[in-house]
Amino acid sequence: MQGDGTVVLTRRRAAGKDDPVLAGFLQFLANDLSSHPGRIRTLNRKLVTRVRSLVRNTEVGLDEALDPADE
């Protein structure tokens, strides 16, 4: 954040190699969204409420390594 209140965001590359499967999937999504923008829909309030109720007490450690069984 700069003194005048401007917020500057920069892209950070992840350490290590890019995941080719993830890259391919993200490219697929980008192409599909570009080709069919009319398919984009907002989530309805009922679904958002349901998802929040399912994860309400879930703790996430974004800096913690995944359990090898979950990778």
Side-chain angles (χ1 to χ4, degrees):
M1 184 168 219
Q2 297 180 344
D4 65 355
T6 302
V7 176
V8 179
L9 299 176
T10 58
R11 177 182 283 182
R12 179 177 173 220
R13 297 210 70 163
K17 291 186 174 182
D18 289 340
D19 181 338
V21 174
L22 181 59
F25 178 68
L26 293 175
Q27 188 60 54
F28 165 78
L29 288 178
N31 291 343
D32 191 59
L33 291 171
S34 295
S35 300
H36 308 285
R39 293 182 182 170
I40 299 171
R41 301 280 188 261
T42 59
L43 296 175
N44 67 49
R45 186 171 303 277
K46 185 176 180 180
L47 178 58
V48 171
T49 300
R50 174 74 175 133
V51 170
R52 285 183 177 159
S53 75
L54 293 172
V55 298
R56 182 176 298 126
N57 297 317
T58 303
E59 293 184 27
V60 177
L62 296 177
D63 295 323
E64 295 177 20
L66 291 175
D67 184 313
D70 294 333
E71 288 192 31

